[in-house]
C-alpha cells in the first residue's frame, strides 16, 4: 500500500494492516506487534520527513510471509535518514535527564527479529522482520 505522508493516511494504513492480519489469520500478538512497528516507522516519515527540502512524497508499505517470519518493508522518497544510526536512548537515565525522541525506533528494534535500513534508488528503506509466533 502506498499513502501520502500525512497523519490521517497512517490511520488508513493501519486499517489495511488490520484487514491483512485478519485475512492472514495472524495471532493477535503478532498482529499487534506488526501494527505498532508499521505505525511507528510510517509516523516517523510523516513527522520528520514530509516537510522542507527533500520531503517525502509517499510512504510505501509491503508485508509478506517468509517461513516463520513476517517481513515488512517501509519505503519513502524523502531525504536520506537512517534512524538506526542515531544514538540509542539511555533508558536507564532519569526521565528528566533523557533526550527527547528515539524511543520509538528503540521499541521497534525490541519488537522485531531484525531491523535494517538502506538507501536505494533515492529511497529510504526500512525492513523489519517479525516472528510469526506470538
Amino acid at each position: 500500500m502506498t499513502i501520502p505522508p500525512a497523519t490521517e493516511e497512517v490511520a488508513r494504513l493501519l486499517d489495511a494492516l488490520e484487514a491483512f492480519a485478519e485475512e492472514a489469520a495472524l495471532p493477535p500478538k503478532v498482529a499487534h506487534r506488526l501494527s505498532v512497528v508499521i505505525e511507528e516507522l510510517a509516523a516517523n516519515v510523516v513527522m520528520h520527513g514530509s516537510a522542507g527540502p527533500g520531503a517525502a512524497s509517499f510512504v510505501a508499505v509491503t508485508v509478506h510471509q517468509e517461513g516463520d517470519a513476517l517481513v515488512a518493508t517501509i519505503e519513502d522518497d524523502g531525504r536520506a535518514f537512517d534512524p538506526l544510526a542515531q544514538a540509542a536512548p539511555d533508558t536507564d537515565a532519569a526521565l528528566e535527564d533523557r533526550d527527547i525522541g528515539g524511543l520509538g525506533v528503540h521499541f521497534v528494534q525490541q519488537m522485531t527479529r531484525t531491523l535494517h535500513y538502506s538507501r536505494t534508488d533515492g529511497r529510504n528503506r526500512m525492513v523489519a522482520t517479525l516472528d510469526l509466533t506470538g
Side-chain angles (χ1 to χ4, degrees):
M1 179 175 194
T2 301
I3 60 170
T7 303
E8 63 276 5
E9 293 295 323
V10 174
R12 192 167 66 88
L13 174 62
L14 294 177
D15 288 344
L17 275 174
E18 186 177 326
F20 167 80
E22 278 185 32
E23 186 177 312
L26 296 180
K29 281 185 177 180
V30 175
H32 176 71
R33 212 174 316 127
L34 176 65
S35 180
V36 170
V37 166
I38 297 296
E39 180 178 21
E40 176 60 31
L41 297 176
N44 278 350
V45 175
V46 171
M47 292 181 347
H48 305 294
S50 64
S57 66
F58 69 86
V59 179
V61 175
T62 59
V63 179
H64 67 276
Q65 184 175 341
E66 282 185 14
D68 66 345
L70 281 178
V71 178
T73 303
I74 300 88
E75 293 183 312
D76 69 82
D77 63 343
R79 60 194 158 274
F81 180 72
D82 178 0
L84 302 177
Q86 309 309 303
D90 182 359
T91 56
D92 293 327
L95 221 47
E96 59 273 4
D97 295 333
R98 293 185 193 176
D99 291 332
I100 295 174
L103 280 177
V105 171
H106 173 73
F107 288 136
V108 166
Q109 288 176 305
Q110 302 306 308
M111 299 175 85
T112 57
R113 185 187 294 173
T114 61
L115 185 63
H116 297 286
Y117 169 84
S118 64
R119 177 81 177 174
T120 307
D121 297 327
R123 293 181 174 194
N124 295 301
R125 177 179 294 138
M126 294 290 292
V127 179
T129 304
L130 294 87
D131 289 319
L132 262 175
T133 57

